[in-house]
């Protein structure tokens, strides 16, 4: 084959050159190859050779990319080293310049001492009001300012720092790499400037070498330095804690990291000492101005009384104690490390120390710093109790934050946040319940989740707010709103889905039983659940009443007034058992020979349906439903007795008329007393309306000449 690869490396070289040629056309190449091939086998071999060439090319490309990447990393590292050396060289030159200026000033001072006249003329020419010793200090300060100005000229956005703080000077600076505190991923390269009272962090500008942009400025008073243990490949790192954030930086090597840690600690210590000396100077008693001599002889007596009773303002508050000086920084560390108890303990210690001390200016300044930390601590505790945080762990998970807020004197806020947190937890737990299987099974789960959470919340509330009686009213309001949320979920599943009255009664019974568990802690919410469910239960009772009335009317329309033939003794025994469960104990007197029952099917069905309705309604009963239940029973019974009354009046056959009287006797003398008795047992008091129905010989007086039913 003319275009085959051939044997050995020569064929591969020819194929490579052919594929790399500028005029290579893949379509023409495949067409020509197909025409000149001897068969499928040649094409398969050619395909394998091209595949091998493709893999070889890919491997070569990977090697080249890796080699170029390594060279790029080495070049970037060299550039970084060179940039660092340039900064160090610039810093050395600036220091040398300052030294030369200081030497020049020293030589001038020596010359002035050798020739006082010349020194006086030079002093008068420079600044006639500035002493020579002050000039020396001014020269040193000017050198520091010039060094700081030279470096900060390369940082955009820092021009307003020096005029506001003329005593600021540079202590240390260098390149660092910032890493993400959570994922330890590199974020950016920064340059840090450590000054005598703050730390400036600047980011590198991408298109301007040696220039930076202002990123952040952290006062040393609120800055904490933490050494990060080496964990290869993460090494030479340290963490800066400044509420409410923290940042991790990596030095170039272990030596530079050590220098950063040492110089940061030394600078913070010097800052604290200078602040301590300043407070001591302010705390020193100042001599009172000498009052002018008075010629009033009565002033001598007043002066003697004042000398006998020294003023309380002369008492000096000692704020030079080490723990007081380090208190703001210790509070920042405690907040950053989530040591809330330690922070509140420090605040209690300070309040106890300053409790009976006079309020001087240094105390006010200290209080201002501490109040800022208190606000930060409060914000953190509020966030801990926010519903956005994880709701797992139950009510006890909030005890730590709640107790510290109470110690800070914010019981009302703690109570509000605690109840909001628990409301969100209860709502989440209800939403996570799966609606599957039977309704009663879901209601069991719903009641268990809700009332268990409510009981745990109540116990935790009683533990946390034991000494705050004013918060208990807020808990009662919260419990009512939570109960409303529960009833909404309950009603949606039980009443909105049109469940049977028996199912609804069982569900309400389960909810009442769980609600009684709250009485263990002295909390009775039964009246609340009654008030919230009364509307839905009324609707369910009226709906089921309408169903019974419609079914009774339908049976009445097909009534033939015939005895029941149950065909088998088993069926008759089952009916006896059903009537006995309904409370009809003398049903045997209405049974005849074999499997006959001397009652109509309509009356027997009405009896079973009415008693079932009464039993289920009594499970739902509470005082607000008394009249609804009683009126429903009266309406149901009236439908049956009106039909019997109408049939008895209209029937002409003597045998059927006697049979109707027997059914009427069963309704008046057996069914109605059972209904009245069972109602009184379930409610606790008799019903006058049911007594009137039983005592009346006929429930409704109709016109004897009328042939129409009122039903």
């Amino acid at each position: 084959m003319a275009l085959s690869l051939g044997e050995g490396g020569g064929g591969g070289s020819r194929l490579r050159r052919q594929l790399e040629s500028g005029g290579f056309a893949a379509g023409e190449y495949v067409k020509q190859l197909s025409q000149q091939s001897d068969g499928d086998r040649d094409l398969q071999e050619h395909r394998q050779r091209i595949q091998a060439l493709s893999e070889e090319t890919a491997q070569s490309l990977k090697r080249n990319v890796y080699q170029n990447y390594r060279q790029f990393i080495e070049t970037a590292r060299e550039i970084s080293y060179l940039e660092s050396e340039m900064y160090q060289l610039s810093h050395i030159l600036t220091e040398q310049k300052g030294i030369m200026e200081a030497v020049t000033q020293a030589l001038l001072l020596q010359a002035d001492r050798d020739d006082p006249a010349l020194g006086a003329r030079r002093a008068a020419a420079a600044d006639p009001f500035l002493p020579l010793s002050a000039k020396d200090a001014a020269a040193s300060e000017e050198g520091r300012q010039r060094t700081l100005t030279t470096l900060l000229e390369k940082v955009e956005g820092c021009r307003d720092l020096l005029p506001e703080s003329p005593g600021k000077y540079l202590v240390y600076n260098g390149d660092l790499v910032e890493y993400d505190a959570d994922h330890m991923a590199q974020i950016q390269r920064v340059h840090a400037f450590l000054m005598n009272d703050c730390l400036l962090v600047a980011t590198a500008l991408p298109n301007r070498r040696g220039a930076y942009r202002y990123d952040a400025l952290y006062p040393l008073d609120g800055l904490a330095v933490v050494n990060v243990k080496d964990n290869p490949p993460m090494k030479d790192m340290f963490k800066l804690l400044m509420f409410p954030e923290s940042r991790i930086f990596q030095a170039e090597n272990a030596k530079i990291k050590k220098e950063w840690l040492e110089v940061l600690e030394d600078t913070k210590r010097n800052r604290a000492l200078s602040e301590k000396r300043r407070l001591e100077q302010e705390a020193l008693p100042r001599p009172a101005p000498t009052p002018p001599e008075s010629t009033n002889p009565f002033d001598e007596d007043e002066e003697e009384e004042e000398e006998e009773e020294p003023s309380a303002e002369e008492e000096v508050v000692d704020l030079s104690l080490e723990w007081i000086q380090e208190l703001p920084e210790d509070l920042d560390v405690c907040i950053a490390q989530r040591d809330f108890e330690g922070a509140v303990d420090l605040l209690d210690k300070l309040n106890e120390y300053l409790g009976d001390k006079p309020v001087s200016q240094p105390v006010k300044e200290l209080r201002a710093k501490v109040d800022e930390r208190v606000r930060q601590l409060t914000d953190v505790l509020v966030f801990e109790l926010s519903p956005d945080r994880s709701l797992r762990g139950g009510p006890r998970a909030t005890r730590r934050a709640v107790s510290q807020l109470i110690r800070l004197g914010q019981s009302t806020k703690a109570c509000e946040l605690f109840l909001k947190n628990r409301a969100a937890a209860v709502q989440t737990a209800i939403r996570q319940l799966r609606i599957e299987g039977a309704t009663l099974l879901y209601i069991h789960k719903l009641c268990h989740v809700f009332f268990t959470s409510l009981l745990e919340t109540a116990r935790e509330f009683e533990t946390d707010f034991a000494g705050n009686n004013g918060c208990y009213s807020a808990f009662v309001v919260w419990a009512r709103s939570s109960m409303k949320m529960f009833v909404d979920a309950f009603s949606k599943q039980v009443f909105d889905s049109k469940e049977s009255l028996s199912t609804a009664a069982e569900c309400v019974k389960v909810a009442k039983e769980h609600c009684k568990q709250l009485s263990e802690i002295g909390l009775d919410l039964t009246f609340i659940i009654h008030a919230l469910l009364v509307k839905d239960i009324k609707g369910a009772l009226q709906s089921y009443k309408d169903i019974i009335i419609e079914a009774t009317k339908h049976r009445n329309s097909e009534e033939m007034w015939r005895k029941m033939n149950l065909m088998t003794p088993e069926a008759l025994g089952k009916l006896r058992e059903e009537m006995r469960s309904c409370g009809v104990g003398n049903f045997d007197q209405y049974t005849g020979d074999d499997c006959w029952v001397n009652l109509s099917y309509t009356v027997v069905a009405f009896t079973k349906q009415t008693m079932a309705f009464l039993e289920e309604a009594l499970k739902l009963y509470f005082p607000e439903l008394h009249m609804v239940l009683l009126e429903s029973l009266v309406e149901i019974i009236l439908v049956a007795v009106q039909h019997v009354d109408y049939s008895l009046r209209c029937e002409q056959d003597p045998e059927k008329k006697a049979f109707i009287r027997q059914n009427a006797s069963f309704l008046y003398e057996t069914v109605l007393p059972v209904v009245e008795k069972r109602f009184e047992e379930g409610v606790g008091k008799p019903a006058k309306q049911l007594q009137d129905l039983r005592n009346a010989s006929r429930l409704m007086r109709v016109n004897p000449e009328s042939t129409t039913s009122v039903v």
Side-chain angles (χ1 to χ4, degrees):
M1 154 171 92
L3 294 177
S4 63
L5 291 175
E7 302 295 335
S13 300
R14 287 196 301 272
L15 178 59
R16 184 187 299 276
R17 288 195 299 270
Q18 187 175 4
L19 295 176
E20 291 178 351
S21 62
F24 174 75
E28 292 296 330
Y29 175 75
V30 173
K31 182 178 180 181
Q32 187 177 2
L33 180 64
S34 301
Q35 293 175 354
Q36 298 179 3
S37 63
D38 295 335
D40 181 66
R41 184 176 181 181
D42 292 341
L43 292 176
Q44 292 291 340
E45 292 177 355
H46 196 81
R47 181 178 180 276
Q48 291 176 1
R49 295 188 185 100
I50 293 178
Q51 185 67 28
L53 182 60
S54 173
E55 294 176 357
E56 181 183 351
T57 304
Q59 292 295 332
S60 176
L61 183 61
K62 289 181 180 179
R63 286 194 297 269
N64 292 335
V65 170
Y66 179 70
Q67 185 177 2
N68 293 336
Y69 182 67
R70 290 184 59 187
Q71 292 177 356
F72 174 77
I73 293 177
E74 293 176 358
T75 303
R77 186 179 293 117
E78 291 296 332
I79 292 174
S80 177
Y81 291 156
L82 179 61
E83 186 178 5
S84 177
E85 291 176 357
M86 290 297 294
Y87 275 115
Q88 292 178 6
L89 180 59
S90 174
H91 184 60
I92 292 173
L93 291 175
T94 305
E95 291 180 350
Q96 292 293 334
K97 183 179 179 181
I99 293 174
M100 293 298 295
E101 292 177 352
V103 170
T104 303
Q105 293 292 334
L107 293 175
L108 291 176
L109 291 174
Q110 184 64 32
D112 293 341
R113 293 191 187 95
D114 296 339
D115 189 355
L118 179 61
R121 288 194 301 272
R122 186 180 294 108
D127 188 354
F129 302 103
L130 187 62
L132 294 179
S133 59
K135 283 186 177 182
D136 191 9
S140 177
E141 183 68 23
E142 183 181 358
R144 290 178 172 180
Q145 289 285 340
R146 190 178 293 109
T147 302
L148 179 61
T149 305
T150 303
L151 288 178
L152 294 184
E153 283 178 353
K154 301 180 180 180
V155 182
E156 293 183 358
C158 291
R159 295 183 180 275
D160 56 340
L161 293 179
L162 288 176
E164 294 181 0
S165 304
K168 192 187 304 291
Y169 60 87
L170 185 67
V171 178
Y172 192 78
N173 73 99
D175 286 328
L176 298 170
V177 179
E178 184 178 4
Y179 281 77
D180 183 72
D182 296 328
H183 307 290
M184 298 306 293
Q186 182 174 337
I187 299 177
Q188 60 185 347
R189 298 185 65 86
V190 300
H191 195 88
F193 298 88
L194 177 62
M195 286 158 272
N196 60 319
D197 60 347
C198 62
L199 176 67
L200 172 67
V201 179
T203 58
L205 293 175
N207 299 326
R208 294 173 58 187
R209 183 177 179 181
Y212 298 92
R213 180 184 290 110
Y214 169 81
D215 181 68
L217 182 67
Y218 303 109
L220 293 183
D221 295 341
L223 190 68
V225 186
V226 179
N227 181 24
V228 178
K229 185 179 180 181
D230 290 346
N231 185 17
M234 302 302 174
K235 59 181 181 177
D236 304 330
M237 292 182 174
F238 59 92
K239 180 185 290 188
L240 297 182
L241 302 176
M242 46 280 173
F243 184 83
E245 60 177 322
S246 62
R247 302 176 71 173
I248 294 181
F249 298 99
Q250 183 184 44
E252 294 181 9
N253 50 52
K255 179 181 178 182
I256 296 179
K257 170 189 174 181
K258 183 179 179 182
E259 291 178 357
W260 270 109
L261 293 176
E262 291 177 352
V263 75
L264 280 168
E265 292 296 335
D266 292 341
T267 307
K268 285 170 57 66
R269 191 180 301 108
N270 294 334
R271 173 70 178 172
L273 291 175
S274 62
E275 186 71 15
K276 179 180 178 181
R277 286 194 293 268
R278 185 183 67 82
L279 293 176
E280 290 177 350
Q281 291 293 332
E282 293 178 355
L284 291 176
R286 299 179 180 178
T290 304
E293 295 183 359
S294 175
T295 57
N296 188 352
F298 297 100
D299 290 345
E300 295 180 0
D301 298 336
E302 295 178 358
E303 291 177 0
E304 291 178 359
E305 293 178 359
E306 291 178 358
E307 291 177 358
E308 293 176 359
E309 299 179 0
S311 175
E313 296 180 355
E314 296 179 1
E315 183 180 355
V316 178
V317 182
D318 184 12
L319 300 180
S320 62
L321 300 176
E322 182 178 357
W323 69 272
I324 293 182
Q325 294 296 318
E326 297 178 354
L327 182 63
E329 180 180 347
D330 291 342
L331 288 174
D332 290 335
V333 173
C334 289
I335 295 172
Q337 295 180 350
R338 300 172 59 82
D339 182 13
F340 307 136
E341 295 81 359
V344 179
D345 290 341
L346 289 174
L347 293 172
D348 290 343
K349 184 178 180 181
L350 178 66
N351 292 332
E352 183 179 357
Y353 179 77
L354 298 178
D356 55 350
K357 302 293 191 300
V359 181
S360 60
Q361 186 61 29
V363 173
K364 291 181 180 179
E365 294 178 0
L366 178 61
R367 284 288 189 186
K369 293 181 180 180
V370 172
D371 290 343
E372 178 64 27
R373 271 71 177 183
V374 171
R375 284 192 294 271
Q376 295 173 0
L377 177 60
T378 302
D379 293 341
V380 174
L381 294 174
V382 168
F383 178 71
E384 287 293 314
L385 292 174
S386 64
D388 297 333
R389 298 282 289 173
S390 175
L391 299 175
R392 298 181 179 178
R396 293 185 180 180
T398 62
R399 180 180 300 178
R400 186 182 179 207
V402 168
S403 61
Q404 302 313 313
L405 277 175
I406 293 175
R407 291 179 63 189
L408 290 174
Q410 303 197 31
S411 302
T412 303
K413 180 178 290 187
C415 177
E416 177 184 359
L417 294 172
F418 172 78
L419 295 178
K420 284 184 178 179
N421 180 281
R422 296 312 306 155
V426 173
Q427 187 175 11
T428 302
I430 292 177
R431 287 179 178 177
Q432 289 177 349
L433 281 177
R434 293 184 178 181
I435 303 176
E436 57 185 2
T439 301
L440 186 58
L441 179 61
Y442 171 79
I443 294 302
H444 272 287
K445 295 180 180 179
L446 177 64
C447 292
H448 176 73
V449 169
F450 175 76
F451 286 103
T452 301
S453 299
L454 194 63
L455 187 60
E456 291 177 351
T457 301
R459 288 172 175 168
E460 185 64 24
F461 187 90
E462 190 174 10
T463 301
D464 294 343
F465 299 92
N468 298 274
N469 296 330
C471 297
Y472 280 85
S473 57
F475 176 78
V476 174
V477 173
W478 174 85
R480 179 181 178 84
S481 63
S482 299
M483 186 66 74
K484 187 178 185 303
M485 177 177 60
F486 163 77
V487 170
D488 290 341
F490 181 93
S491 298
K492 183 178 180 181
Q493 189 64 22
V494 175
F495 296 107
D496 294 352
S497 59
K498 303 300 181 182
E499 292 288 343
S500 64
L501 188 64
S502 59
T503 302
E506 288 296 329
C507 293
V508 172
K509 181 180 178 182
V510 170
K512 288 181 179 179
E513 291 175 352
H514 278 82
C515 191
K516 290 179 181 179
Q517 296 177 359
L518 300 178
S519 60
E520 298 177 7
I521 58 172
L523 183 64
D524 186 6
L525 299 180
T526 307
F527 69 98
I528 294 180
I529 197 171
H530 285 173
L532 295 174
L533 286 175
V534 63
K535 181 179 179 181
D536 291 325
I537 296 178
K538 281 182 179 179
L541 290 175
Q542 291 174 353
S543 177
Y544 200 70
K545 174 204 70 176
D546 294 338
I547 293 174
I548 295 177
I549 290 176
E550 289 298 323
T552 303
K553 287 182 178 180
H554 178 72
R555 289 192 298 268
N556 291 344
S557 65
E558 299 177 351
E559 178 63 73
M560 301 298 294
W561 293 112
R562 294 176 180 176
K563 297 180 181 181
M564 293 178 61
N565 185 4
L566 299 179
M567 307 301 291
T568 62
E570 290 78 8
L572 180 59
K574 183 179 179 181
L575 179 60
R576 284 195 183 100
E577 188 64 30
E578 290 176 351
M579 299 305 289
R580 190 177 295 109
S581 64
C582 291
V584 181
N586 59 344
F587 185 72
D588 290 339
Q589 70 182 24
Y590 295 98
T591 59
D593 298 333
D594 296 332
C595 298
W596 289 90
V597 177
N598 299 325
L599 293 172
S600 71
Y601 168 77
T602 301
V603 173
V604 172
F606 169 79
T607 301
K608 292 194 294 184
Q609 204 168 18
T610 302
M611 293 306 299
F613 171 77
L614 179 58
E615 290 296 331
E616 302 301 336
L618 289 177
K619 294 179 183 179
L620 297 169
Y621 178 82
F622 46 87
E624 290 82 358
L625 297 172
H626 183 82
M627 291 305 301
V628 176
L629 175 58
L630 187 57
E631 291 172 358
S632 299
L633 279 174
V634 170
E635 289 185 35
I636 292 172
I637 294 173
L638 278 175
V639 173
V641 297
Q642 285 175 1
H643 173 67
V644 171
D645 178 75
Y646 175 76
S647 300
L648 188 63
R649 181 173 54 82
C650 296
E651 184 60 51
Q652 301 299 325
D653 187 356
E655 292 183 2
K656 285 189 176 182
K657 203 164 189 177
F659 181 69
I660 295 173
R661 287 195 183 95
Q662 188 175 5
N663 282 272
S665 174
F666 175 75
L667 285 177
Y668 285 108
E669 298 175 4
T670 303
V671 177
L672 292 185
V674 170
V675 171
E676 182 182 350
K677 179 181 178 183
R678 185 69 187 93
F679 183 88
E680 184 176 354
E681 290 175 354
V683 174
K685 58 182 178 180
K688 186 176 183 299
Q689 291 88 337
L690 295 178
Q691 292 176 354
D692 294 341
L693 284 176
R694 182 171 57 85
N695 296 329
S697 58
R698 299 182 66 181
L699 298 180
M700 179 173 289
R701 301 290 182 180
V702 294
N703 187 358
E705 299 178 357
S706 175
T707 59
T708 59
S709 173
V710 296
V711 180

